[in-house]
Amino acid sequence: MSRHMRSGDVELRRPLLLTGDHLEPNELDSDEGEIIFDRSSSNNGHEASGSAPRRISYEEAMEETGFGLFHWLLLVICGWANASDAVEILCVSFLLPTARCDLLLSSSDMGLLTASIFLGMMVGGYVWGYLADQRGRRRVLVVSLTVNGVFGVLSSLAPWFWLLLLLRFISGIGVGGSIPVVFSYFSEFMPRRRRGTMISALATFWMAGNILAAGLAWLVIPRTWAHISLGTLDFQSWRLFVALCSLPGLTSALLFRLLMPESPKFLMEADREKEAIHVFRLMFEMNMRGKGKSFPEFGLCTNSKQKRDMEDKRWASRREQLASILKKGLAPIKQMFHDSLKTRSFALLIIFYCISFGYYGLWMWFPELFSRIEEGGSPCGNVSVPYSLHNNSCYPVKTAVYKEGFAIAVSNLPGNIFTILMMDRVGGKSLLSGSLVVSSLSVFLIYMVQTKTQSLILSCVFSCVSVITWNALDVVGTELYPTQLRSTALGFFTGMGRVAAIMGNIVFGKLVDTNCAVPVLLVSALLLTGGLVALLLPQTRQTELT
């Protein structure tokens, strides 16, 4: 079926969304102007030679497409990508109690291992975010998710610690791209009135990934049947667990490649009007299927500046292109910290640092800490003596550790439900500030308690409340910046958050055996700081995307 505009009988034939067809920049005319659908496709009675259709804004076009099947399909696919990122990050924490013996890891080594994926995410966050703003969201999602999955699988085969460290780092580069870009991509398909609720629903898939990682760890790691000898490589059950954790990323990349179109908001900003209208048409026909409605004629108010920039770039020399890329790569950061965006940018920078240091610094160590208190006591009461690296301290695997990890993961559910119900009523700013303060209190009490049961209960509270923080941050972050900065800004802030996560994991690794109180109380203080700084952010509830 032809997808080209033809002179004489102007028409645009729609490819089936579910066949994987999508419009590329070179498949449509680059001329600006109106687009008119023939009567066979629109049934609206207008002649092709009639007056030009009305021009409408992005938000108005989004309202024309309605809300329905397309958005639910989008939620499932973007949600699965979000879950795959959670699985890839959190799987490292579940392999520590057994991998430390097979690879002879000290606590400092384990800190470096948990930090490696965040170092990759720091590198990937800004790079992928910039590419998403320049080249398109969908293409970047496919590539970054593929990098995540392929190198995740390869890391399961690493026989040496240094190689495992390197492969987890490269896998982290992929994760660093998909996390910020998937939220920008998703938000740009959402009508304004439903955006907060739907982004909150998307964020709940992080919980699904958390539960999936914990459930896989519980099912696979304690099983002796998963132990296989491959020559010089002793393929223990934790290696099978790591390989399985990479499958969601690979399947997500395939789903985006086959089923999803490019963001219409990005296409409008790139002055690719015809492609944007085509995407709106796909959305309309899926949402209105069976309702007897026809797609309305309209033109779009697009931005021609980016198109001119791209044309100028084609004629530049290679040296000029490189200089232009470097200049343009740094330009969004200058815009983020200039004029009206300056206060919110500094506030978000502090908040991302505080929550990333606190959440990832503590969360990645939960399985290891609980493995050390199986005989009772508190997390910081039983860590003064470093554990032996011999296999008799790791095997047989302590199944209770993974049951407790699963319980902590499931405790995300109440927080996610609360977020979905309250986000559009209360607003992201209030939820963000309040949840950070409560998280701070729960971490402080984890240090104070003296029994394993009390530690487990407070860890579940921390899990429940901290997921509200992340969900609120996802909503607020997507609404604070204009389209041309959105993915870059989220990539930058999540990249800076990875610096905090790296520091948090290294600090825990260095001090967990000698002075556990320092990192735990530091986490509590940072979460409280983030909660107070969140009060400086503007209220974004049901605001229009710019």
Side-chain angles (χ1 to χ4, degrees):
M1 178 180 292
S2 171
R3 291 174 290 170
H4 296 268
M5 298 295 299
R6 301 197 305 269
S7 59
D9 56 339
V10 180
E11 67 173 353
L12 181 64
R13 295 182 180 176
R14 182 185 70 85
L16 291 177
L17 177 66
L18 301 182
T19 63
D21 288 342
H22 60 283
L23 294 181
E24 298 293 348
N26 61 351
E27 290 187 285
L28 288 173
D29 295 336
S30 60
D31 298 333
E32 295 184 43
E34 66 192 59
I35 177 169
I36 302 177
F37 299 95
D38 67 3
R39 281 176 291 182
S40 64
S41 63
S42 63
N43 291 325
N44 53 21
H46 292 286
E47 296 293 336
S49 60
S51 60
R54 61 195 174 99
R55 289 197 170 272
I56 60 177
S57 67
Y58 156 76
E59 293 287 359
E60 291 170 329
M62 195 60 67
E63 292 296 331
E64 293 281 1
T65 64
F67 184 89
L69 179 60
F70 176 86
H71 294 91
W72 295 116
L73 176 64
L74 180 72
L75 176 64
V76 171
I77 294 177
C78 289
W80 185 236
N82 192 29
S84 72
D85 291 331
V87 170
E88 195 66 26
I89 294 172
L90 299 174
C91 77
V92 176
S93 66
F94 291 107
L95 63 86
L96 291 181
T98 52
R100 63 183 177 85
C101 292
D102 295 326
L103 299 176
L104 303 179
L105 305 181
S106 65
S107 293
S108 295
D109 291 335
M110 290 189 286
L112 290 174
L113 182 59
T114 56
S116 63
I117 192 168
F118 296 110
L119 180 60
M121 292 167 70
M122 179 184 70
V123 174
Y126 184 79
V127 174
W128 292 119
Y130 173 75
L131 289 175
D133 285 337
Q134 298 299 313
R135 301 297 184 185
R137 287 34 168 146
R138 175 182 169 275
R139 184 181 303 178
V140 165
L141 281 171
V142 171
V143 176
S144 61
L145 285 165
T146 302
V147 170
N148 173 6
V150 169
F151 285 92
V153 171
L154 292 176
S155 70
S156 69
L157 301 173
W160 308 290
F161 171 62
W162 67 266
L163 184 57
L164 176 63
L165 207 62
L166 176 62
L167 293 172
R168 297 308 300 179
F169 164 76
I170 300 175
S171 175
I173 292 177
V175 176
S178 55
I179 287 180
V181 177
V182 75
F183 279 93
S184 294
Y185 177 83
F186 183 79
S187 67
E188 290 168 3
F189 284 96
M190 291 298 134
R192 179 171 53 191
R193 288 176 294 178
R194 294 179 181 264
R195 189 174 297 130
T197 299
M198 292 299 288
I199 294 177
S200 298
L202 173 62
T204 64
F205 281 84
W206 184 272
M207 172 199 68
N210 198 340
I211 294 173
L212 178 59
L216 278 175
W218 184 10
L219 291 174
V220 175
I221 295 180
R223 309 304 172 205
T224 56
W225 54 262
H227 182 195
I228 305 171
S229 293
L230 299 175
T232 59
L233 178 63
D234 196 15
F235 198 84
Q236 296 282 3
S237 56
W238 64 267
R239 293 184 181 274
L240 176 61
F241 166 69
V242 172
L244 291 175
C245 285
S246 300
L247 296 181
L250 293 173
T251 55
S252 295
L254 186 63
L255 289 173
F256 274 109
R257 179 67 183 87
L258 296 178
L259 303 183
M260 288 290 102
E262 182 55 86
S263 158
K265 180 66 170 171
F266 169 80
L267 294 173
M268 288 177 63
E269 291 296 319
D271 200 36
R272 290 153 62 179
E273 178 186 16
K274 296 174 184 178
E275 294 171 79
I277 292 178
H278 176 75
V279 174
F280 284 126
R281 183 183 182 88
L282 293 179
M283 296 170 62
F284 178 89
E285 295 192 357
M286 285 195 70
N287 291 336
M288 301 299 174
R289 184 172 296 175
K291 297 182 180 180
K293 296 184 178 180
S294 57
F295 185 69
E297 288 186 15
F298 58 77
L300 296 171
C301 301
T302 57
N303 181 5
S304 62
K305 181 179 183 300
Q306 185 170 342
K307 182 179 179 180
R308 290 195 301 269
D309 290 343
M310 292 174 68
E311 290 174 348
D312 293 340
K313 185 176 178 181
R314 292 192 191 103
W315 294 102
S317 67
R318 290 190 176 184
R319 181 177 298 179
E320 291 172 336
Q321 285 185 21
L322 178 60
S324 176
I325 290 172
L326 291 175
K327 184 177 180 180
K328 287 185 177 181
L330 295 176
I333 298 180
K334 294 176 64 176
Q335 295 179 49
M336 287 159 48
F337 292 92
H338 186 67
D339 294 336
S340 61
L341 299 178
K342 180 168 61 175
T343 300
R344 67 186 64 180
S345 294
F346 277 113
L348 275 180
L349 184 62
I350 295 172
I351 293 169
F352 266 96
Y353 184 90
C354 291
I355 181 61
S356 297
F357 187 105
Y359 178 82
Y360 290 116
L362 184 60
W363 187 272
M364 300 294 284
W365 283 86
F366 269 148
E368 176 65 14
L369 291 176
F370 275 100
S371 72
R372 299 184 179 196
I373 61 173
E374 281 305 298
E375 304 302 324
S378 65
C380 285
N382 290 6
V383 295
S384 58
V385 180
Y387 270 50
S388 169
L389 299 181
H390 297 295
N391 279 358
N392 58 6
S393 68
C394 296
Y395 298 99
V397 177
K398 300 171 183 176
T399 306
V401 172
Y402 300 102
K403 290 181 181 178
E404 290 152 2
F406 186 78
I408 294 173
V410 171
S411 63
N412 282 179
L413 181 58
N416 278 300
I417 294 174
F418 180 84
T419 306
I420 293 173
L421 294 177
M422 301 303 296
M423 181 62 69
D424 284 331
R425 298 181 184 180
V426 177
K429 173 183 174 180
S430 300
L431 288 180
L432 179 61
S433 179
S435 59
L436 278 166
V437 173
V438 177
S439 294
S440 170
L441 178 62
S442 65
V443 173
F444 178 76
L445 293 176
I446 288 175
Y447 167 71
M448 298 295 294
V449 299
Q450 297 298 319
T451 69
K452 175 184 172 182
T453 301
Q454 292 171 340
S455 297
L456 179 60
I457 292 173
L458 286 171
S459 298
C460 289
V461 172
F462 173 75
S463 173
C464 175
V465 178
S466 61
V467 78
I468 299 176
T469 300
W470 283 113
N471 293 350
L473 195 57
D474 290 334
V475 173
V476 171
T478 58
E479 296 179 337
L480 284 177
Y481 293 94
T483 301
Q484 66 270 21
L485 286 178
R486 189 169 298 120
S487 287
T488 302
L490 291 178
F492 173 78
F493 289 123
T494 53
M496 293 299 101
R498 303 319 165 206
V499 176
I502 292 167
M503 294 177 65
N505 279 281
I506 292 176
V507 167
F508 263 86
K510 293 291 185 182
L511 298 178
V512 70
D513 291 331
T514 57
N515 197 341
C516 176
V518 172
V520 173
L521 294 179
L522 181 59
V523 165
S524 179
L526 286 173
L527 292 174
L528 179 60
T529 301
L532 297 177
V533 172
L535 297 174
L536 300 175
L537 295 173
Q539 182 61 265
T540 61
R541 184 161 59 99
Q542 295 185 1
T543 56
E544 180 175 341
L545 287 184
T546 57

